[in-house]
Amino acid sequence: MNFSSIITNWYSIHKRSLPWRNTKEPYYIWLSEIILQQTQITQGLPYYEAFVNKFPTVFDLANAKESEVLKLWQGLGYYSRARNLHKTATYIANELNGTFPDTYTDLLKLKGIGDYTASAIASICFNKPTAVVDGNVYRILSRYYGIETPINYTEGIKEFKKLATALIDKNNPAEHNQAIMEFGARQCKPKNPDCSVCPFKNSCIALQKNSIDKLPVKLKKTKVSNKYYNFLVFISTDKKTLFEKRTYKGIWQNLYQFPLIETKTPLNIDAFKASAKVKSLLNDISFEFSLYNEKDIVHKLSHQHLYTKFWIIEVDKLPSEGISISELTTFPTNILISNFIDEFKFPI
DNA sequence: AAGGCGGGGCT
DNA sequence: AGCCCAGCCTT
């Protein structure tokens, strides 16, 4: 049996039942692929269900406001996916009459669709022999063939794409692609795979050379920077607060948050009171403030650690136009703000 | 070519 | 604490 047959045989026995495996409708496959980018199935699954429920067709998604899409995406991370999802839905609904492109090349032109996703949709929906190369495929191929080329540089990316393309079953690319990814997720796992039950145990180079835990090779280290976030949680006597949209580039673009003072070093109470933002906002206003959390809440992103304080500022009247506290949960926010709103006892 | 972009789970 | 996850976009 060749590589593809072994993989698809394994898949026919071990595959999980997942909602997007019951359809070849491009809209649903696209939705699932975007949600699952850099996201484990257990984390993405409830979001997929929510999106299918709220936006059953690409037209429903296109007709929504971006803030509605972000609200449903809240907590999933990599929010550019949601913004691009909405942009592409609008394009497909309005310019393509709701019909998805059916080739790798045309799919690749869409916002938010790169090599992996174009290959996935073209193969699963349109039976094109376009091989997917995701984290699972890198791991399986590097181990099985004992390939030590780093997977995060151009040379490795091209080498693995070429190999995956050579291996794909042209008669059944949809099944092949899904099978190899499921095999990577369930059998050829990153840590402690049970190679004793692997169908490739007699031919896997890494297993023979005892190098399973060294492959795939990935060189870059993401360096993490520390930042100090001070959120200003205003509470007025008429039960309003200030909530702002992050319109600038960077993390959490187009999500909402309390007014923020960002510093490179911790902000003590005196520095907080002396800060330009506090002064400008609270000039000529009487207020009382307290600190919600004495110890910083540490919010860890892949490339930043955010040491966060929430400052509670009670005022008679807001320094500028605000929103009703009861409306807070209708705005899309990051998980940090969302958790605070859930846990803090606002006087509603 | 390199770096930014989230949040959760596992070891 | 570090790595990984059905990657993509901008610079």
Side-chain angles (χ1 to χ4, degrees):
Chain A
M1 278 205 296
N2 62 27
F3 183 89
S4 183
S5 306
I6 293 172
I7 288 277
T8 49
N9 272 353
W10 177 94
Y11 182 62
S12 67
I13 298 167
H14 294 97
K15 73 172 178 179
R16 289 167 284 186
S17 170
L18 296 167
W20 49 84
R21 289 189 174 150
N22 301 323
T23 179
K24 287 182 177 283
E25 195 57 45
Y27 173 62
Y28 293 120
I29 299 301
W30 170 62
L31 204 47
S32 72
E33 294 299 347
I34 302 298
I35 287 172
L36 292 175
Q37 286 168 4
Q38 292 291 284
T39 304
Q40 298 200 330
I41 285 175
T42 50
Q43 188 187 5
L45 187 52
Y47 286 84
Y48 175 81
E49 304 280 16
F51 268 83
V52 167
N53 247 314
K54 183 154 185 177
F55 307 117
T57 73
V58 70
F59 296 101
D60 298 312
L61 184 56
N63 289 334
K65 284 182 289 190
E66 184 190 88
S67 65
E68 290 181 79
V69 180
L70 284 170
K71 184 64 190 177
L72 209 55
W73 200 271
Q74 179 173 303
L76 194 56
Y78 285 147
Y79 296 92
S80 65
R81 291 183 293 171
R83 299 191 300 269
N84 287 333
L85 187 78
H86 182 238
K87 197 175 303 179
T88 293
T90 305
Y91 175 75
I92 291 174
N94 297 339
E95 307 297 325
L96 304 182
N97 296 316
T99 305
F100 275 75
D102 61 358
T103 65
Y104 169 86
T105 308
D106 287 341
L107 286 162
L108 197 57
K109 295 172 185 165
L110 302 175
K111 276 283 183 192
I113 295 187
D115 174 78
Y116 163 78
T117 306
S119 302
I121 297 174
S123 62
I124 295 171
C125 303
F126 304 112
N127 231 31
K128 304 289 171 64
T130 48
V132 295
V133 183
D134 71 336
N136 294 304
V137 176
Y138 281 122
R139 191 167 54 253
I140 296 165
L141 297 186
S142 66
R143 286 173 174 173
Y144 181 70
Y145 290 101
I147 301 171
E148 297 175 13
T149 316
I151 63 170
N152 52 343
Y153 287 88
T154 305
E155 184 192 355
I157 293 169
K158 289 169 72 174
E159 180 178 353
F160 282 96
K161 180 74 180 182
K162 187 178 176 185
L163 178 54
T165 302
L167 290 170
I168 197 169
D169 180 356
K170 292 194 164 89
N171 293 317
N172 203 352
E175 200 79 352
H176 171 100
N177 273 341
Q178 295 183 82
I180 194 168
M181 290 190 285
E182 185 81 335
F183 185 81
R186 312 255 292 171
Q187 171 61 41
C188 197
K189 297 185 294 183
K191 301 285 182 188
N192 306 325
D194 183 2
C195 298
S196 71
V197 297
C198 180
F200 293 119
K201 64 181 174 184
N202 294 323
S203 48
C204 176
I205 302 292
L207 184 57
Q208 290 169 17
K209 293 169 70 174
N210 198 24
S211 61
I212 289 287
D213 58 353
K214 294 182 178 57
L215 294 172
V217 175
K218 200 172 182 180
L219 289 185
K220 276 176 224 161
K221 276 178 288 200
T222 56
K223 71 165 196 286
V224 176
S225 64
N226 292 329
K227 290 182 177 173
Y228 296 84
Y229 272 23
N230 294 271
F231 289 110
L232 311 185
V233 183
F234 283 85
I235 302 174
S236 67
T237 49
D238 59 352
K239 298 182 175 30
K240 290 187 170 183
T241 191
L242 296 184
F243 220 37
E244 304 172 341
K245 190 174 184 176
R246 286 179 75 108
T247 54
Y248 44 92
K249 286 196 183 295
I251 59 171
W252 303 329
Q253 189 178 7
N254 291 3
L255 301 187
Y256 288 77
Q257 65 183 24
F258 301 104
L260 171 65
I261 299 172
E262 180 183 338
T263 56
K264 291 189 169 64
T265 54
L267 201 62
N268 61 33
I269 290 186
D270 291 336
F272 170 75
K273 283 197 282 193
S275 77
K277 184 139 188 171
V278 169
K279 277 187 165 176
S280 68
L281 280 170
L282 294 172
N283 191 27
D284 298 333
I285 294 179
S286 70
F287 64 94
E288 289 181 26
F289 76 90
S290 59
L291 194 50
Y292 168 67
N293 55 311
E294 284 299 332
K295 280 189 65 178
D296 286 349
I297 297 169
V298 186
H299 188 67
K300 295 183 177 181
L301 311 181
S302 50
H303 57 302
Q304 296 178 28
H305 287 184
L306 308 179
Y307 293 80
T308 308
K309 286 185 171 71
F310 290 91
W311 300 85
I312 313 300
I313 306 173
E314 297 184 62
V315 294
D316 290 334
K317 193 172 182 307
L318 293 179
S320 59
E321 184 79 14
I323 64 156
S324 173
I325 287 173
S326 61
E327 295 178 295
L328 267 180
T329 57
T330 64
F331 292 84
T333 72
N334 63 63
I335 199 68
L336 185 59
I337 300 290
S338 165
N339 286 342
F340 171 81
I341 293 172
D342 287 345
E343 288 162 19
F344 182 68
K345 304 283 185 283
F346 274 105
I348 300 177

